[in-house]
């Protein structure tokens, strides 16, 4: 289902200003406002444009140019947006994700899960030149089971085990959580102890078919474990409506691209549908 582009731009502008806080507005050196750069990257990912195509398309939309402060007859150079993706640190994109999630109702019940994004298409030559063979980036997320908003994401290239990545995202958001549902890939006693220490209920299936494991799993299902599939729904939505392959060449840009994809998915739920 598509969204109204102008409404998405206005929503993204409002959220980007909140994410930037005191840094919102035009820099001292002049040029576009910082939030306009963030919205431009949202448009680029939503429409699947390259940086050159982004400038060309935006210059043909007077209403969007007016919102972003772009002069249609003298649009910015494509490299302006390319370099701004580097210039804005990871905490800016994380703030955008967090604020976009806060626009949705928060139930406190979340699904913890992981997915993979292909990086082979974007950086095949780079990988060959560097002698690297990593073809995917792993993203571990927290998804609210009521609104399907992604609250946080942890990215890694190394094959980090779920029991290492899971507690990291839970720890960062523990104050806002009541229960976390995850599959048994996230289950070990270290993880259970750490999450329980944050006063968060951990709903994860136990391995085996003993009477004790069967009874514990039945109790966990009654507490809402079956809502864990909500995270798969958010992954499917992002990969179908945007892209499952990363376009950036360098790993740190790919991490930012993943965070932007989930933030954009949160923003699209707030915009008018077509």
């Amino acid at each position: 289902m598509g969204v109204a582009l102008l409404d998405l731009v206005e929503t993204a502008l409002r959220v980007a200003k909140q994410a930037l806080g005191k840094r919102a507005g035009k820099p001292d050196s002049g040029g576009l406002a910082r939030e306009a750069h963030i919205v431009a990257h949202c448009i680029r990912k939503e429409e699947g444009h390259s940086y050159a195509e982004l400038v060309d398309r935006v210059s043909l939309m007077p209403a969007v140019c007016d919102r972003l402060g772009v002069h249609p007859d003298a649009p910015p150079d494509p490299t302006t947006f390319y370099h701004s993706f580097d210039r804005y640190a990871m905490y800016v994109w994380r703030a955008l994700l967090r604020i976009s999630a806060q626009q949705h109702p928060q139930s406190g019940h979340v699904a913890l899960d992981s997915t993979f994004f292909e990086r082979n298409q974007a950086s095949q030559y780079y990988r060959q030149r560097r002698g690297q063979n990593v073809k995917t980036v792993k993203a571990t997320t927290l998804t609210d089971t009521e609104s399907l908003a992604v609250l946080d994401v942890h990215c890694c290239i190394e094959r980090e085990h779920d029991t290492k990545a899971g507690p990291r995202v839970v720890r960062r958001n523990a104050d806002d959580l009541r229960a976390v549902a995850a599959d048994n890939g996230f289950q070990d006693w270290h993880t259970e102890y750490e999450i329980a220490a944050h006063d968060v209920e951990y709903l994860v299936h136990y391995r085996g078919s003993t009477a004790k494991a069967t009874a514990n799993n039945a109790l966990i299902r009654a507490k809402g474990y079956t809502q864990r599939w909500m995270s798969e729904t958010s992954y499917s939505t992002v990969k179908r409506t945007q892209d499952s392959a990363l376009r950036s060449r360098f790993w740190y840009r790919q991490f930012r691209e993943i965070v932007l994809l989930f933030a954009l998915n949160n923003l699209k739920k707030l915009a008018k549908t077509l």
Side-chain angles (χ1 to χ4, degrees):
M1 183 179 294
V3 296
L5 182 60
L6 186 58
D7 192 59
L8 176 63
V9 168
E10 293 175 344
T11 302
L13 267 177
R14 173 173 55 82
V15 174
K17 288 179 181 179
Q18 296 179 40
L20 289 168
K22 295 180 179 180
R23 298 182 181 85
K26 292 185 177 182
D28 296 336
S29 57
L32 291 179
R34 295 182 179 91
E35 59 270 19
H37 284 273
I38 293 178
V39 177
H41 289 294
C42 290
I43 297 174
R44 177 177 61 86
K45 296 305 298 182
E46 171 64 13
E47 301 293 328
H49 295 324
S50 65
Y51 289 97
E53 291 171 338
L54 169 67
V55 173
D56 180 65
R57 301 298 190 274
V58 169
S59 63
L60 298 177
M61 296 182 285
V64 174
C65 288
D66 181 62
R67 301 300 193 282
L68 299 183
V70 175
H71 197 288
D73 296 330
D77 191 88
T79 57
T80 301
F81 295 114
Y82 178 85
H83 291 302
S84 70
F85 203 56
D86 281 336
R87 189 166 59 251
Y88 294 169
M90 187 62 164
Y91 70 83
V92 174
W93 304 106
R94 287 195 178 279
L96 180 69
L97 176 64
R98 183 177 65 254
I99 299 297
S100 66
Q102 291 174 354
Q103 310 301 310
H104 299 273
Q106 303 293 308
S107 65
H109 293 265
V110 298
L112 175 64
D113 208 349
S114 298
T115 189
F116 292 88
F117 289 87
E118 297 290 335
R119 69 192 296 256
N120 186 41
Q121 180 177 356
S123 54
Q124 184 175 7
Y125 170 73
Y126 175 74
R127 290 190 304 103
Q128 291 176 350
R129 184 163 55 89
R130 294 292 301 271
Q132 298 175 350
N133 57 2
V134 179
K135 298 181 180 180
T136 58
V137 176
K138 181 180 180 180
T140 304
T141 66
L142 286 179
T143 305
D144 190 273
T145 57
E146 182 176 320
S147 63
L148 293 183
V150 175
L151 309 181
D152 199 0
V153 58
H154 170 72
C155 303
C156 66
I157 292 179
E158 300 295 334
R159 288 296 179 264
E160 187 176 27
H161 197 272
D162 288 339
T163 55
K164 302 297 183 182
R168 292 187 181 183
V169 289
V170 173
R171 191 186 309 124
R172 289 199 295 254
N173 301 272
D175 293 340
D176 302 321
L177 304 181
R178 295 166 57 192
V180 176
D183 61 32
N184 57 15
F186 291 89
Q187 192 267 327
D188 70 350
W189 73 270
H190 292 282
T191 303
E192 291 186 40
Y193 179 81
E194 180 175 354
I195 293 178
H198 292 291
D199 197 23
V200 177
E201 191 170 16
Y202 195 44
L203 307 178
V204 58
H205 263 194
Y206 287 84
R207 299 180 179 90
S209 56
T210 63
K212 182 178 180 180
T214 302
N216 283 334
N217 291 344
L219 180 61
I220 288 171
R221 285 194 296 271
K223 291 182 178 181
Y225 172 81
T226 54
Q227 298 300 306
R228 189 184 61 81
W229 63 269
M230 294 294 190
S231 58
E232 297 291 347
T233 302
S234 67
Y235 298 157
S236 176
T237 302
V238 168
K239 293 181 179 181
R240 283 187 296 104
T241 61
Q242 296 174 62
D243 207 344
S244 61
L246 303 174
R247 303 299 176 183
S248 301
R249 174 176 297 180
F250 305 106
W251 64 266
Y252 67 92
R253 292 175 65 93
Q254 292 169 356
F255 285 9
R256 296 173 188 181
E257 188 176 350
I258 290 174
V259 176
L260 176 59
L261 285 173
F262 286 117
L264 178 58
N265 188 54
N266 291 344
L267 293 170
K268 289 169 64 176
K269 296 179 187 297
L270 302 170
K272 296 179 182 177
T273 57
L274 297 176

